[in-house]
Coordinates of all heavy atoms in Angstrom, one line a residue:
M76 N 120.7 117.5 64.9 CA 121.4 117.5 66.1 C 120.4 117.4 67.3 O 119.3 118.1 67.3 CB 122.1 118.9 66.3 CG 122.8 118.9 67.6 SD 123.8 120.4 67.5 CE 125.2 119.8 68.5
Q77 N 120.6 116.4 68.2 CA 119.7 116.2 69.3 C 119.9 117.2 70.4 O 121.0 117.7 70.8 CB 120.0 114.8 69.9 CG 119.1 114.4 70.9 CD 119.4 113.0 71.5 OE1 120.4 112.5 71.3 NE2 118.4 112.4 72.2
N78 N 118.7 117.6 71.0 CA 118.7 118.6 72.1 C 119.3 117.9 73.3 O 118.9 116.7 73.6 CB 117.3 119.0 72.3 CG 117.2 120.1 73.3 OD1 118.0 120.3 74.2 ND2 116.0 120.9 73.1
P79 N 120.1 118.5 74.0 CA 120.8 118.0 75.2 C 119.8 117.5 76.3 O 120.0 116.6 77.1 CB 121.7 119.0 75.7 CG 122.0 119.9 74.6 CD 120.7 119.9 73.7
L80 N 118.7 118.2 76.4 CA 117.6 117.9 77.3 C 117.0 116.5 77.0 O 116.5 115.8 77.9 CB 116.5 119.0 77.4 CG 117.0 120.3 77.9 CD1 115.8 121.4 77.8 CD2 117.4 120.2 79.3
V81 N 117.0 116.1 75.8 CA 116.4 114.7 75.4 C 117.3 113.7 76.0 O 116.7 112.7 76.6 CB 116.3 114.6 73.9 CG1 115.9 113.2 73.5 CG2 115.3 115.6 73.3
G82 N 118.6 113.8 76.0 CA 119.5 112.9 76.5 C 119.3 112.8 78.1 O 119.4 111.7 78.7
A83 N 119.2 114.0 78.7 CA 119.0 114.1 80.2 C 117.7 113.4 80.5 O 117.6 112.7 81.6 CB 119.0 115.5 80.6
A84 N 116.6 113.6 79.8 CA 115.3 113.1 80.1 C 115.4 111.5 80.0 O 114.8 110.8 80.8 CB 114.3 113.7 79.2
N85 N 116.0 111.0 78.9 CA 116.1 109.6 78.8 C 116.9 108.9 79.8 O 116.6 107.8 80.3 CB 116.8 109.3 77.4 CG 115.9 109.5 76.2 OD1 114.6 109.6 76.3 ND2 116.5 109.8 75.1
K86 N 118.0 109.6 80.3 CA 118.8 109.1 81.4 C 118.0 109.0 82.7 O 118.0 108.1 83.4 CB 120.0 109.9 81.6 CG 120.9 109.2 82.7 CD 122.2 110.0 82.9 CE 123.0 109.4 84.0 NZ 122.4 108.8 85.2
A87 N 117.2 110.0 82.9 CA 116.4 110.2 84.1 C 115.3 109.0 84.1 O 115.0 108.5 85.0 CB 115.6 111.6 84.2
M88 N 114.7 108.9 82.9 CA 113.7 107.9 82.8 C 114.3 106.5 83.0 O 113.7 105.6 83.7 CB 113.0 107.8 81.4 CG 111.9 106.8 81.2 SD 111.2 106.7 79.6 CE 112.7 106.3 78.6
A89 N 115.4 106.2 82.5 CA 116.2 104.9 82.7 C 116.5 104.7 84.3 O 116.4 103.6 84.8 CB 117.4 104.8 81.9
D90 N 116.8 105.8 84.9 CA 117.2 105.7 86.3 C 116.0 105.4 87.1 O 116.0 104.6 88.0 CB 117.8 106.9 86.8 CG 119.2 107.3 86.3 OD1 119.9 106.2 85.9 OD2 119.7 108.4 86.4
M91 N 114.8 106.0 86.8 CA 113.5 105.9 87.5 C 113.1 104.4 87.4 O 112.6 103.8 88.3 CB 112.5 106.7 87.1 CG 112.8 108.2 87.5 SD 113.1 108.4 89.3 CE 111.5 107.8 90.0
V92 N 113.2 103.8 86.1 CA 112.8 102.4 85.8 C 113.7 101.5 86.7 O 113.3 100.5 87.3 CB 112.9 102.1 84.4 CG1 112.9 100.6 84.2 CG2 111.8 102.9 83.6
R93 N 114.9 101.8 86.8 CA 115.9 101.0 87.6 C 115.6 101.1 89.1 O 115.5 100.1 89.8 CB 117.3 101.4 87.4 CG 118.3 100.3 87.4 CD 119.8 100.7 87.0 NE 120.2 101.9 87.8 CZ 120.6 103.1 87.2 NH1 120.7 103.1 85.9 NH2 121.0 104.1 87.9
Y94 N 115.2 102.3 89.6 CA 114.8 102.5 90.9 C 113.5 101.7 91.3 O 113.4 101.1 92.3 CB 114.7 103.9 91.3 CG 115.9 104.6 91.3 CD1 116.0 106.0 90.9 CD2 117.3 104.2 91.6 CE1 117.1 106.8 90.8 CE2 118.4 104.9 91.5 CZ 118.3 106.2 91.1 OH 119.5 107.0 91.1
A95 N 112.6 101.8 90.4 CA 111.3 101.2 90.5 C 111.5 99.7 90.6 O 110.8 99.0 91.5 CB 110.4 101.5 89.4
A96 N 112.4 99.1 89.8 CA 112.6 97.7 89.9 C 113.3 97.3 91.2 O 113.0 96.3 91.9 CB 113.4 97.2 88.8
E97 N 114.2 98.2 91.7 CA 114.9 97.9 92.9 C 113.9 97.9 94.2 O 114.1 97.1 95.0 CB 116.0 98.9 93.2 CG 116.9 98.7 94.3 CD 117.9 97.6 94.0 OE1 118.2 97.3 92.9 OE2 118.3 97.0 95.1
F98 N 112.9 98.7 94.1 CA 112.0 98.8 95.2 C 110.8 97.9 95.1 O 109.8 97.9 95.8 CB 111.5 100.2 95.5 CG 112.7 101.0 96.2 CD1 113.3 102.0 95.4 CD2 113.0 100.9 97.4 CE1 114.3 102.8 96.0 CE2 114.0 101.6 98.1 CZ 114.6 102.6 97.3
G99 N 110.7 97.1 94.1 CA 109.6 96.2 93.8 C 108.4 96.9 93.3 O 107.2 96.3 93.6
L100 N 108.5 97.9 92.5 CA 107.4 98.6 92.0 C 107.0 98.3 90.5 O 106.1 98.9 90.0 CB 107.6 100.2 92.1 CG 107.9 100.7 93.5 CD1 108.3 102.2 93.4 CD2 106.7 100.6 94.4
T101 N 107.7 97.3 90.0 CA 107.3 96.8 88.7 C 106.7 95.4 88.8 O 107.1 94.7 89.8 CB 108.5 96.8 87.7 OG1 109.5 95.8 88.3 CG2 109.2 98.1 87.6
P102 N 105.9 95.0 87.9 CA 105.3 93.6 88.0 C 106.2 92.6 88.1 O 106.0 91.6 88.9 CB 104.4 93.6 86.7 CG 104.2 95.0 86.3 CD 105.4 95.8 86.8
S103 N 107.4 92.6 87.3 CA 108.3 91.5 87.4 C 109.1 91.6 88.7 O 109.5 90.5 89.2 CB 109.3 91.6 86.2 OG 110.0 92.8 86.2
A104 N 109.3 92.8 89.3 CA 110.0 92.9 90.5 C 109.2 92.4 91.7 O 109.8 91.9 92.7 CB 110.6 94.3 90.7
R105 N 107.9 92.5 91.6 CA 107.0 92.2 92.7 C 107.1 90.6 92.9 O 106.9 90.2 94.0 CB 105.6 92.5 92.3 CG 105.3 94.0 92.7 CD 103.8 94.3 92.5 NE 103.7 95.6 92.2 CZ 103.1 96.2 91.1 NH1 102.6 95.2 90.3 NH2 103.1 97.4 90.9
T106 N 107.4 89.9 91.9 CA 107.5 88.4 92.1 C 108.7 88.0 92.9 O 108.7 87.0 93.5 CB 107.5 87.7 90.8 OG1 108.7 88.1 90.0 CG2 106.3 88.0 90.0
R107 N 109.7 89.0 93.0 CA 110.9 88.6 93.7 C 110.9 89.2 95.2 O 111.8 88.8 96.0 CB 112.2 89.2 93.0 CG 112.4 88.6 91.7 CD 113.6 89.0 91.1 NE 113.7 90.5 90.9 CZ 113.4 91.0 89.7 NH1 113.1 90.4 88.7 NH2 113.4 92.4 89.6
V108 N 109.8 89.9 95.5 CA 109.7 90.5 96.9 C 109.2 89.4 97.7 O 108.1 88.8 97.5 CB 108.8 91.7 96.9 CG1 108.6 92.2 98.3 CG2 109.4 92.8 96.0
A109 N 109.8 89.2 98.9 CA 109.4 88.2 99.9 C 108.8 88.9 101.1 O 109.4 89.8 101.6 CB 110.5 87.2 100.3
G110 N 107.6 88.4 101.4 CA 107.0 89.1 102.6 C 107.3 88.2 103.8 O 107.9 87.2 103.7
M111 N 106.9 88.8 105.0 CA 107.2 88.0 106.3 C 106.1 87.0 106.3 O 104.9 87.1 106.0 CB 107.1 89.0 107.4 CG 108.2 89.9 107.4 SD 108.0 91.1 108.8 CE 107.9 90.0 110.2
S112 N 106.5 85.8 106.9 CA 105.5 84.8 107.1 C 104.9 84.9 108.5 O 105.4 85.6 109.4 CB 106.3 83.4 107.0 OG 107.1 83.2 108.0
D113 N 103.8 84.2 108.7 CA 103.1 84.3 110.1 C 103.7 83.3 111.0 O 103.2 83.2 112.1 CB 101.6 84.0 109.9 CG 100.9 85.2 109.2 OD1 101.5 86.3 109.3 OD2 99.9 85.1 108.5
A114 N 104.8 82.7 110.7 CA 105.4 81.7 111.5 C 106.2 82.3 112.7 O 106.8 83.3 112.5 CB 106.3 80.8 110.8
G115 N 106.0 81.8 114.0 CA 106.7 82.4 115.0 C 105.9 83.4 115.7 O 104.9 83.9 115.2
P116 N 106.4 83.7 116.9 CA 105.9 84.8 117.7 C 105.9 86.2 117.1 O 106.9 86.5 116.4 CB 106.5 84.7 119.1 CG 107.8 84.1 118.8 CD 107.6 83.3 117.6
N117 N 105.0 87.0 117.4 CA 105.0 88.4 116.9 C 105.9 89.3 117.9 O 105.6 89.4 119.0 CB 103.6 89.0 116.9 CG 103.6 90.4 116.4 OD1 104.6 91.0 116.0 ND2 102.4 91.0 116.3
P118 N 107.1 89.8 117.4 CA 108.0 90.5 118.3 C 107.3 91.9 118.7 O 107.8 92.4 119.7 CB 109.1 90.7 117.5 CG 108.7 90.7 116.1 CD 107.6 89.7 116.1
F119 N 106.3 92.3 118.1 CA 105.5 93.5 118.5 C 104.3 93.4 119.2 O 103.5 94.3 119.3 CB 105.3 94.4 117.2 CG 106.7 94.7 116.5 CD1 106.8 93.9 115.3 CD2 107.5 95.6 117.0 CE1 108.1 94.3 114.6 CE2 108.7 95.8 116.3 CZ 109.0 95.2 115.1
A120 N 104.1 92.2 119.7 CA 102.9 91.9 120.5 C 102.6 92.7 121.7 O 101.5 93.2 122.0 CB 102.7 90.5 120.8
E121 N 103.7 93.1 122.4 CA 103.6 93.8 123.6 C 103.2 95.2 123.2 O 102.4 96.0 124.0 CB 104.9 93.8 124.4 CG 106.0 94.5 123.6 CD 107.3 94.4 124.4 OE1 107.6 95.3 125.2 OE2 108.0 93.3 124.1
F122 N 103.6 95.8 122.1 CA 103.2 97.1 121.6 C 101.8 97.2 121.2 O 101.1 98.2 121.4 CB 104.1 97.7 120.5 CG 105.5 97.8 121.0 CD1 106.5 96.9 120.5 CD2 105.9 98.7 121.9 CE1 107.8 97.0 120.9 CE2 107.1 98.8 122.4 CZ 108.2 98.0 121.8
D123 N 101.2 96.0 120.7 CA 99.8 95.9 120.3 C 98.9 96.1 121.6 O 97.9 96.7 121.6 CB 99.5 94.6 119.6 CG 100.1 94.6 118.2 OD1 100.4 95.6 117.6 OD2 100.2 93.4 117.6
E124 N 99.3 95.5 122.7 CA 98.6 95.6 123.9 C 98.7 97.0 124.4 O 97.6 97.5 125.0 CB 99.1 94.6 124.9 CG 98.9 93.1 124.5 CD 99.6 92.2 125.5 OE1 100.2 92.7 126.5 OE2 99.6 91.0 125.2
L125 N 99.8 97.7 124.3 CA 99.9 99.0 124.9 C 99.2 100.1 124.0 O 98.6 101.0 124.6 CB 101.4 99.4 124.9 CG 102.3 98.7 125.9 CD1 103.8 99.1 125.8 CD2 101.9 99.0 127.3
F126 N 99.2 100.0 122.8 CA 98.6 101.0 121.9 C 97.3 100.6 121.3 O 96.8 101.4 120.5 CB 99.7 101.4 120.8 CG 100.9 102.0 121.3 CD1 102.1 101.3 121.2 CD2 100.9 103.2 122.0 CE1 103.3 101.8 121.8 CE2 102.1 103.7 122.5 CZ 103.2 103.0 122.4
G127 N 96.9 99.3 121.5 CA 95.7 98.8 120.8 C 94.5 99.2 121.4 O 93.8 99.9 121.8

């Protein structure tokens, strides 16, 4: 008979793997993450001058 904690631990592990993929923390998920390009003006340039 399986200990109930084993089932809970397995479910928690599967949930964490799913969350990691959702946030781009796995190697395969990183390929789907798109970063911002340098095209166009920087909307935060005025703050760079104030706080820079």
Side-chain angles (χ1 to χ4, degrees):
M76 179 172 212
Q77 185 181 14
N78 187 333
L80 291 177
V81 173
N85 287 338
K86 183 179 179 331
M88 182 183 61
D90 288 344
M91 290 307 297
V92 169
R93 214 174 51 236
Y94 295 146
E97 187 72 28
F98 287 108
L100 300 175
T101 62
S103 62
R105 278 189 209 119
T106 60
R107 295 187 298 263
V108 175
M111 293 178 54
S112 67
D113 290 336
N117 182 1
F119 301 106
E121 64 184 273
F122 297 113
D123 288 340
E124 294 172 8
L125 291 174
F126 299 111

